[in-house]
Amino acid sequence: MADTWGGRIRGGLTGALVCSLALLVAGCGVVTGAVTTKSDRKRAAELAEGQYPGILEVLSARTLFPQTSGSEVTFSVADDPDAAVLLRIDAAAGTCDRGPCDRALDEAVERGRSRAGELRRMRAAFTDCGYELVGANPALATPWVVAAPTNATVTRVLAEIGACVRTWPQARDENGAPRRSVTVNIVAPDLARARPTGKKNRPTVLRMTDPGLLGALAKRPHYSVSYTVRDGVVDPESGRAYLSFPWEDRKAFETTVRDAVIDWLRTTRPRAGDGMVSGLWWLEPGTVDRLQGYVLFCDEPGEGGRCSGDHAVVLTVDPKGNPVGDIRVIRDVRDDHGRVRLPQE
């Protein structure tokens, strides 16, 4: 009995010691991170007051990960409610963006104001031609606009949105390289009305690019429209729409398509092996309920049942993935380097 009791005591002490050590290690990281963020935030506020008195206000600070020191501090801008200024600061090292803090803050303010200007130009381009802008990706390169195209209106809607894009000066990507195309996402009006809009006191650029907002806009399958850029100018008549899916919807869609293709191959090419479903499913012109895409297959599986997908089945399906038209084959879709080359790619 004494041995058992002693064993429990020793076991309890050992467990407590291990737990205490674990908490000490983990806790030190948490406490240190909190202290560091607090000191970084304080230093950022001092810098802002010194260089931009009454203009910049610290909104938040977050620990940089996987870096072990420093924080990213976000400021609002008093004379530009659209702008947000982001500064990486390490108070302990006395640096900002790994350099002098006064220069880094000036550059951060310039970037923040420039980004707000980009957002305003994007918003104006779509609002002026009748389409509400409700979100954009963080690079401000892919807008989300509200529309409800039907088979009767889709051609007109895509051309109208293309005209909006043409007036929006976004011919170059975030790296300064000429764009080959611009993509616009379309969200249904009911989903747009139910979207989270964020706190009104947060800068517009943060609210319009918030991950929670973008996730809400993309929670259902939606149309994405690609417009061709020629010589730096968008061709408004070039819009081609494809259906973008959330993860679970995409899996269900691909399963339905693949099963249909496998059944068809069994009747026409019993020895064929199926590969993967092609990535993009484009709307057939003048429709919103007919999509065309591809499923790769091989004449017969190789070693281990593997199928490289040398040929493609092309078919038209509804938004759930059920075939609604003829199915045909395109042979030899891989080039000399093994890359798949399909029509419309």
Side-chain angles (χ1 to χ4, degrees):
M1 187 72 165
D3 288 342
T4 302
W5 180 248
R8 289 177 181 173
I9 294 176
R10 286 191 298 272
L13 288 173
T14 302
L17 180 59
V18 171
C19 182
S20 298
L21 287 172
L23 287 172
L24 181 61
V25 173
C28 283
V30 173
V31 172
T32 301
V35 171
T36 300
T37 300
K38 185 176 181 180
S39 62
D40 290 338
R41 180 173 182 146
K42 179 182 178 182
R43 178 59 182 141
E46 293 170 350
L47 283 169
E49 186 58 28
Q51 290 180 237
Y52 296 90
I55 298 297
L56 299 183
E57 180 182 352
V58 175
L59 290 178
S60 62
R62 67 178 184 90
T63 302
L64 293 173
F65 184 84
Q67 294 177 222
T68 56
S69 62
S71 307
E72 182 182 72
V73 177
T74 301
F75 304 86
S76 61
V77 183
D79 58 359
D80 188 347
D82 292 332
V85 173
L86 276 62
L87 178 69
R88 292 191 172 194
I89 181 169
D90 187 343
T95 61
C96 296
D97 290 335
R98 299 183 179 179
C101 282
D102 52 352
R103 184 180 66 192
L105 183 57
D106 287 341
E107 292 172 351
V109 170
E110 183 178 352
R111 287 194 302 269
R113 290 189 183 278
S114 175
R115 193 160 178 251
E118 290 177 19
L119 177 63
R120 285 190 287 270
R121 288 189 290 273
M122 178 193 290
R123 185 170 52 196
F126 290 97
T127 302
D128 290 350
C129 64
Y131 286 88
E132 182 186 6
L133 179 75
V134 293
N137 73 325
L140 299 182
T142 306
W144 283 84
V145 300
V146 182
T150 64
N151 286 346
T153 65
V154 62
T155 301
R156 171 179 59 80
V157 168
L158 297 192
E160 288 176 350
I161 293 176
C164 302
V165 177
R166 185 166 190 152
T167 66
W168 168 46
Q170 191 66 14
R172 294 186 175 273
D173 64 21
E174 56 269 26
N175 298 316
R179 289 186 183 279
R180 297 176 58 186
S181 64
V182 173
T183 299
V184 178
N185 291 322
I186 297 177
V187 61
D190 64 321
L191 206 55
R193 285 191 296 269
R195 73 189 187 279
T197 56
K199 296 180 180 179
K200 295 297 183 181
N201 64 342
R202 284 176 61 78
T204 311
V205 73
L206 295 184
R207 290 189 285 115
M208 295 285 278
T209 61
D210 183 79
L213 167 65
L214 301 182
L217 296 177
K219 68 186 295 186
R220 295 201 310 240
H222 60 275
Y223 307 117
S224 297
V225 191
S226 176
Y227 295 92
T228 301
V229 177
R230 298 186 176 92
D231 298 324
V233 179
V234 171
D235 178 0
E237 301 295 330
S238 66
R240 294 171 57 234
Y242 56 91
L243 199 58
S244 294
F245 300 88
W247 173 246
E248 291 298 328
D249 295 83
R250 179 78 198 187
K251 287 197 299 182
F253 175 87
E254 290 188 350
T255 297
T256 301
V257 171
R258 184 179 288 110
D259 287 348
V261 169
I262 290 174
D263 289 344
W264 183 81
L265 285 172
R266 282 174 180 163
T267 64
T268 60
R269 294 167 175 79
R271 301 182 64 177
D274 68 299
M276 64 178 182
V277 178
S278 176
L280 297 182
W281 285 73
W282 299 93
L283 295 184
E284 288 196 341
T287 74
V288 295
D289 56 2
R290 295 290 184 268
L291 300 96
Q292 190 177 87
Y294 308 89
V295 178
L296 299 179
F297 77 96
C298 52
D299 289 324
E300 58 182 282
E303 185 179 349
R306 287 175 298 193
C307 175
S308 60
D310 300 315
H311 319 298
V313 171
V314 56
L315 69 163
T316 300
V317 301
D318 65 18
K320 296 295 185 182
N322 301 297
V324 292
D326 294 335
I327 299 177
R328 58 189 177 88
V329 168
I330 301 175
R331 294 191 63 82
D332 302 318
V333 296
R334 292 190 182 273
D335 63 18
D336 295 339
H337 301 286
R339 293 177 299 226
V340 175
R341 291 289 184 256
L342 295 169
Q344 298 184 339
E345 282 199 345

